[in-house]
Amino acid sequence: MIANLRPSRERHDAAAPALVATVTAGALAYIAAVDPNRPGHYPLCPFRAVTGYACPGCGSLRALHALLTGHPARAVHHNVLTVAVLPFLVVASTRWLASTFGWWTPAPRRARAVWIWALLVVVIGFAVLRNVPPMRGGALGP
Amino acid sequence: MAFCPQCGSETTEGARFCAACGATLAGGTYTPPPPPPRPPGGGYVGRPSTIPNYLVPAILTTVFCCLPAGIVAIVYAAQVSQKEQAGDIAGALKASQNARTWSIVSACAVVVTILIAIVFLAAGSSTTTNFR
């Protein structure tokens, strides 16, 4: 019964990863070429537009741009959370691509619940700290 | 049924040598447990797969979408893992569905935001500022 409810890991449809990879590559090329520090090229974060506060993702475009143009320290300043989760995203995407195209079938791994709850605490803590006076505009950016 | 102690393959009862690897058999009296079945193609048929928790879209939403949807998706992702660990398969599947829904909601919100921005930029508005 359980087996029927779960998606097969054996063979994925290749269209979705191919689309995601193409869109990601295009977006990264655009972010590298068009500087988010200059106004007028990217939408304002909706959360920031409405509340005036920086959300956990604010500064992520500038962080990516800094990384892509070879300024890791600047990237950390813009959004340290983005830089911290990037390795995880890269590994997860690689596993997805690899299993899709059959290069390598990784064992299904599951993050323990406690780590995901810890991530939630970090994200919320980051969101609060970067908006309170001592840290606002400081080391936590954006 | 007898098995070769050397390579684990099945041997004829009473045979002196293993037909597969040639190892000397102790008169066919040695009968080890059969080796665990190996799934073809390196799959993981023997171990349970996991219910998707959509943690990657949740993190992407949180970091690149600037929306509270990411936080909600992380909560559901944690619930999937927690309930699955506790053996609550039905609850885990429900949380998985919710995590998926919130990932889709946030993805649509991002697309709408980008479309609105394109419209504003095309209209020549100078009030649109960057992603801050």
Side-chain angles (χ1 to χ4, degrees), chain A residues 31-110:
Chain A
I31 293 168
V34 181
D35 189 354
N37 291 289
R38 294 181 13 247
H41 297 287
Y42 295 91
L44 179 67
C45 164
F47 184 83
R48 184 146 188 167
V50 172
T51 66
Y53 290 105
C55 79
C58 283
S60 54
L61 282 181
R62 279 168 286 165
L64 273 188
H65 177 79
L67 275 183
L68 291 167
T69 52
H71 299 98
R74 221 178 282 171
V76 168
H77 171 79
H78 283 311
N79 192 321
V80 66
L81 182 68
T82 300
V83 178
V85 299
L86 266 184
F88 169 77
L89 294 176
V90 169
V91 168
S93 312
T94 308
R95 289 165 61 98
W96 188 39
L97 275 181
S99 63
T100 298
F101 295 107
W103 303 326
W104 165 56
T105 309
R109 287 181 62 188
R110 165 55 43 86

Side-chain angles (χ1 to χ4, degrees), chain A residues 2 5-7 9-10 36-48 55-62 64 79 81-82 85-86 88-89 92 105-114 116-117 119-120 123-124 142, chain B residues 40-45 47-56 59-60 62-68 70-72 74-85 89 93 109 113-114 117 121 125 128-132:
Chain A
I2 290 165
L5 296 169
R6 293 168 175 181
R9 307 284 306 184
E10 301 303 315
N37 291 289
R38 294 181 13 247
H41 297 287
Y42 295 91
L44 179 67
C45 164
F47 184 83
R48 184 146 188 167
C55 79
C58 283
S60 54
L61 282 181
R62 279 168 286 165
L64 273 188
N79 192 321
L81 182 68
T82 300
V85 299
L86 266 184
F88 169 77
L89 294 176
T105 309
R109 287 181 62 188
R110 165 55 43 86
R112 291 178 64 82
V114 62
I116 308 180
W117 290 121
L119 172 72
L120 182 71
V123 167
I124 292 176
Chain B
Y44 292 86
V45 177
R47 55 185 298 170
S49 62
T50 49
I51 298 167
N53 62 1
Y54 301 100
L55 182 60
V56 171
I59 290 175
L60 282 172
T62 306
V63 174
F64 294 112
C65 301
C66 268
L67 288 169
I71 307 277
V72 180
I74 292 178
V75 169
Y76 281 122
Q79 284 187 6
V80 173
S81 293
Q82 188 162 352
K83 289 182 173 174
E84 195 182 16
Q85 279 165 25
I89 299 299
L93 281 167
T113 305
I114 291 174
L121 291 174
S125 168
T128 310
T129 51
N130 53 337
F131 217 116
R132 285 178 187 274

